[in-house]
């Protein structure tokens, strides 16, 4: 069977131990998907895996805001980031949540008929727009959006989306034991904070997260992702940071490759910058140019996560600036 992973060989979820196994168990229980591919892709780096799971769980799955409304935001994020795997996943989750008409319209490329839903989708595509949710729900909506700005990039960089996306009928998928488990999970509301004991790192909480578990999860994921900078020479890490800081947070990297480091001369900087701005453009040649002994799957996942987190922080800056304005 062909692996869905482009460059790495993660341990099968049912053979893992320790933190990795504990995260997989929570994902199965609270997300409703056994061996969810984005978290398997992150599993060579358990601190990243736990941080990404905690951020998604505490913002998208837990809390008080409408799950449907948060799914619309994450659908918009995934559209903006050109992540067909995640677009398809959010469509299925809307079906599972009991919104088949909305999910069907989105699957046909239509905008939501409900104006409020349309606003949420548009905000997910560009968080510089006016926030269409109450201020006290910002930790959930912003956390959900930023979780998928990170997860989209991990998926596009590390998973073969063509081999795992596509065309199954949602009714057939949900009319199975696994589908019924997904429905139960989507329509449930897991207790907040239960992912936090899985976190192995800490970091500063962002102001938008207030005093919520979402802030702890974001801080931990950020700290774990920034550890990937240690895989680069200092000048390359600085170059990537400066390049992402000069970006508007939303436009893709030009296809001409202007500003993209040379593959042969600065392969690590190239990979990290692509992970930030155009992860779907990472090629086998890009990875082979960088991957030398003693690098491992753990290292590649951390380098991709470093670029992805820089992008997440840049998007968060744009949101914060727009909110102040």
């Amino acid at each position: 069977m062909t692996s869905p992973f482009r460059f790495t060989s993660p341990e099968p979820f049912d053979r893992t131990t320790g933190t990795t196994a504990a995260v997989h168990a929570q994902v199965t229980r609270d997300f409703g998907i056994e061996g969810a591919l984005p978290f398997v892709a992150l599993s060579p780096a358990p601190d990243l895996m736990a941080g990404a799971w905690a951020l998604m769980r505490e913002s998208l799955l837990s809390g008080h805001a409408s799950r449907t409304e948060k799914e619309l935001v994450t659908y918009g994020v995934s559209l903006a980031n050109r992540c067909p795997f995640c677009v398809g996943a959010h469509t299925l989750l809307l079906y599972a949540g009991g919104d088949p008409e909305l999910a069907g319209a989105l699957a046909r490329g239509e905008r939501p008929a409900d104006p409020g839903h349309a606003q949420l989708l548009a905000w997910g595509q560009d968080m510089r727009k006016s926030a269409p949710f109450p201020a006290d729900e910002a930790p959930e909506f912003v956390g959900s959006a930023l979780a998928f700005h990170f997860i989209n990039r991990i998926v596009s960089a590390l998973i073969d989306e063509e081999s795992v996306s596509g065309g199954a009928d949602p009714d057939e998928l949900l009319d199975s034991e696994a589908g019924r488990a997904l429905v139960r999970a989507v329509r449930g509301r897991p207790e907040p904070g239960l992912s936090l004991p899985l976190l192995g790192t800490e970091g500063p909480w962002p102001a938008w997260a207030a005093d919520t578990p979402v802030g702890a999860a974001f801080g931990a994921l950020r700290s774990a992702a920034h550890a990937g900078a240690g895989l680069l020479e200092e000048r390359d890490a600085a170059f990537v940071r400066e390049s992402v800081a000069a970006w508007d947070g939303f436009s893709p990297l030009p296809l001409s490759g202007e500003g993209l480091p040379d593959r042969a001369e600065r392969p690590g900087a190239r990979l990290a910058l692509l992970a930030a701005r155009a992860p779907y453009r990472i090629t086998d040649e890009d990875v082979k140019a960088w991957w030398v002994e003693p690098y491992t799957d753990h290292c590649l996942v951390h380098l991709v996560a470093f670029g992805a987190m820089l992008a997440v922080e840049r998007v968060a800056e744009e949101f914060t600036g727009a909110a102040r304005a």
Side-chain angles (χ1 to χ4, degrees), residues 47-48 222-238 240-241 268-269 272 290 294-295 298-307 310:
D47 53 347
L48 288 169
R222 181 186 182 278
S223 293
H226 274 275
L231 294 160
L232 299 174
E233 294 181 7
E234 187 174 335
R235 71 174 186 124
D236 282 346
V240 177
R241 289 189 180 100
W290 171 79
Y295 291 153
H298 174 93
C299 299
L300 178 61
V301 172
H302 261 288
L303 184 61
V304 169
F306 171 60
L310 289 178

Side-chain angles (χ1 to χ4, degrees), residues 48-107:
L48 288 169
M49 180 192 187
W53 162 243
L55 180 58
M56 190 187 84
R57 183 192 187 277
E58 302 304 332
S59 58
L60 179 64
L61 311 188
S62 295
H64 302 289
S66 161
R67 175 71 182 264
T68 291
E69 292 182 353
K70 290 186 284 189
E71 288 289 350
L72 279 165
V73 164
T74 55
Y75 184 96
V77 170
S78 300
L79 278 180
N81 288 331
R82 306 182 187 186
C83 184
F85 173 87
C86 292
V87 167
H90 292 301
T91 305
L92 179 62
L93 290 167
L94 285 166
Y95 273 108
D99 294 287
E101 291 185 9
L102 174 58
L106 294 175

